[in-house]
Amino acid sequence: RAKSAGGNRSELADPEADARTITRHGLTTALPTALERGEFFIEYQPLVHLGDGSVRGAEALVRWLHPQHGVLGPDRFIPLAEHTGLIVPLGRWVLQESIRQARAWRECHGEETAAGPLRINVNLSPCQLSHPGLVQDTVEILERAGVTPDALCLEVTESALIGADDDLLKPLRRLAEMGVDIALDDFGTGYSNLANLRRLPVSILKLDRSFTQGMQQFPADPVDLKIVEGIVSLAHSLDLAVTVEGVETGAQAEQLRILGCDTAQGWYYARPGPPERLHELVLVDATG
Ligand code: C2E
Ligand code: MG
Ligand code: MG
Ligand code: MG
């Protein structure tokens, strides 16, 4: 299906139709060879500064171009990769590929963008977090690419850090000390323990899409407004930046800007796409 959609790589395969033909088992057994054969690819979705509209970076989102079933989204195979442990080499590949891309962007744009060099956000699974090689792998990948740690932001979900003991937080602390940003992804969906924020080495809160959805109608839901306002003010008082996910309309963007959110991501700005697309967006941005 995705292949026939005229090369639009963002068009993910229809989960319901595919559920009939693709078994979980089939995908699971195909995963290791898929990595060897280079069937995974990454799409990038821009992160835009709400104050001035400039592109500040992008989130790397992995996809699988399955030889029979077309493009599969991460929700279809990340849970399977986590279950089998393949997430560790797959996650390492995503990191390596994204950092390579970050260097290419930096070479092109350098300090040209008004906001400084572009940053890349990479998602991290709980299994990667508890894998002993995380810090060393990350350092090596950055060094080999000649990219400074401030080019990287690792996104960890709130639920992955719930009840995390110090052993689990230690690698994240090391990375944060090196200058890697850590973002708390899907914030507000779990059992958000706001007091817990203080002991986490995070510098960015990524507010979940469900909050953005509450801003869809105009005027927005007053309760949603109050909640977001409260989260933003708490975050800022703890020196955390706030990014919002799932911005689909200009009205949402405006509302979230007024509420003091710092950066935004969503279809209103751009769907996830190939690296060339981000390149074009940054160029448009630079020339006004
Ligand atoms: P996430 O990290 O919360 O990523 C945001 C998801 O929201 C992406 O879905 C993105 O395509 C989608 N999105 C962006 N803007 C909009 C919008 O305006 N409206 C709507 N409705 N959706 C929007 P995607 O690409 O399907 O990824 C799903 C999840 O898979 C991600 O959620 C992330 O948790 C996980 N994931 C993706 N790539 C990786 C990876 O390399 N490693 C790991 N461990 N997980 C990954
Ligand atoms: Mg994410
Ligand atoms: Mg997210
Ligand atoms: Mg989310």
Side-chain angles (χ1 to χ4, degrees), residues 101-160:
Q101 191 57 59
R103 188 195 47 192
W105 282 323
R106 285 195 164 197
E107 277 170 2
C108 281
H109 303 290
E111 307 296 327
E112 253 176 70
T113 67
L118 294 175
R119 250 190 1 182
I120 191 89
N121 285 34
V122 178
N123 292 286
L124 216 58
S125 278
C127 322
Q128 290 175 271
L129 207 56
S130 51
H131 188 265
L134 176 68
V135 175
Q136 201 188 336
D137 284 351
T138 308
V139 170
E140 276 175 17
I141 288 170
L142 286 167
E143 278 177 357
R144 237 181 291 134
V147 168
T148 49
D150 65 334
L152 177 64
C153 173
L154 293 173
E155 298 192 0
V156 186
T157 60
E158 191 187 12
S159 53

Side-chain angles (χ1 to χ4, degrees), residues 29-285:
T29 48
L31 269 171
T33 30
L35 187 57
E36 284 161 28
R37 288 187 192 153
E39 291 172 4
F40 294 101
F41 66 96
I42 299 174
E43 289 193 316
Y44 299 88
Q45 187 177 33
L47 285 150
V48 176
H49 189 258
L50 274 166
D52 61 15
S54 63
V55 177
R56 297 297 172 100
E59 180 173 10
L61 296 159
V62 68
R63 280 89 178 81
W64 179 2
L65 180 56
H66 191 285
Q68 279 94 46
H69 306 299
V71 178
L72 303 178
D75 292 337
R76 304 293 307 283
F77 60 85
I78 291 287
L80 307 178
E82 282 173 344
H83 190 67
T84 57
L86 192 84
I87 192 68
V88 172
L90 176 59
R92 200 186 293 125
W93 177 81
V94 170
L95 192 61
Q96 198 173 310
E97 185 59 22
S98 313
I99 295 290
R100 200 189 54 74
Q101 191 57 59
R103 188 195 47 192
W105 282 323
R106 285 195 164 197
E107 277 170 2
C108 281
H109 303 290
E111 307 296 327
E112 253 176 70
T113 67
L118 294 175
R119 250 190 1 182
I120 191 89
N121 285 34
V122 178
N123 292 286
L124 216 58
S125 278
C127 322
Q128 290 175 271
L129 207 56
S130 51
H131 188 265
L134 176 68
V135 175
Q136 201 188 336
D137 284 351
T138 308
V139 170
E140 276 175 17
I141 288 170
L142 286 167
E143 278 177 357
R144 237 181 291 134
V147 168
T148 49
D150 65 334
L152 177 64
C153 173
L154 293 173
E155 298 192 0
V156 186
T157 60
E158 191 187 12
S159 53
L161 295 185
I162 281 180
D165 57 16
D166 261 5
D167 282 348
L168 202 67
L169 294 180
K170 218 177 272 169
L172 280 187
R173 284 218 179 87
R174 291 253 337 259
L175 290 164
E177 280 159 16
M178 282 165 41
V180 174
D181 268 311
I182 312 291
L184 207 51
D185 204 355
D186 300 341
F187 183 79
T189 52
Y191 307 85
S192 316
N193 178 351
L194 297 176
N196 195 28
L197 280 176
R198 296 181 55 194
R199 62 178 204 104
L200 300 178
V202 299
S203 50
I204 297 158
L205 283 192
K206 268 192 104 167
L207 210 55
D208 190 66
R209 190 157 71 225
S210 48
F211 293 102
T212 319
Q213 271 161 0
M215 311 283 143
Q216 210 133 34
Q217 67 272 42
F218 194 86
D221 184 307
V223 177
D224 278 332
L225 286 180
K226 282 286 171 211
I227 294 175
V228 174
E229 202 176 18
I231 293 176
V232 170
S233 111
L234 176 83
H236 285 169
S237 71
L238 293 171
D239 272 333
L240 306 174
V242 179
T243 299
V244 286
E245 299 185 320
V247 176
E248 296 181 357
T249 68
Q252 286 172 322
E254 181 56 11
Q255 195 68 256
L256 291 158
R257 188 189 64 77
I258 292 169
L259 288 171
C261 298
D262 303 290
T263 5
Q265 183 181 352
W267 297 345
Y268 172 62
Y269 302 101
R271 300 228 174 194
E276 307 82 60
R277 184 111 53 81
L278 191 86
H279 184 72
E280 286 160 20
L281 286 171
V282 176
L283 285 181
V284 169
D285 205 37

